[in-house]
Amino acid sequence: MNATTILSALAEPVRLEALRLIWDGNEHCVCELMKALGASQSRMSRHMATIKAAGLVTDRRDAQWVRYRRASDLPRDVIALVDAALALPVEQERQVA
């Protein structure tokens, strides 16, 4: 677990929003994340692989779906970093004139 990997995982809007959902401590099916974020299964799986590689979530296979939850053994400084990122206002997509 290193700062660059964690910050990279937090830097992409879909991943940040997925973490916002998962950070409640409950388990979330990838199908739930797909629906909430409007992402395809393959796109959501790629994003979740990045978040998992950063050490922020764990997963569990349930038949054809994968369920994700916040990693239980995160250091306090990592939790504080993610909490700070999630506390920032959500930037709306900018429209180009």
Side-chain angles (χ1 to χ4, degrees), residues 2 14 27 29 32 48 50 57 65 83 88 90 93 97:
N2 68 59
V14 172
E27 193 173 65
C29 176
E32 177 187 341
M48 295 311 298
T50 300
V57 299
W65 296 110
D83 285 343
L88 294 170
V90 177
E93 286 188 32

Side-chain angles (χ1 to χ4, degrees), residues 3-19:
T4 303
T5 305
I6 293 168
L7 292 171
S8 293
L10 297 174
E12 206 288 329
V14 172
R15 291 194 293 265
L16 188 61
E17 290 308 307
L19 272 174

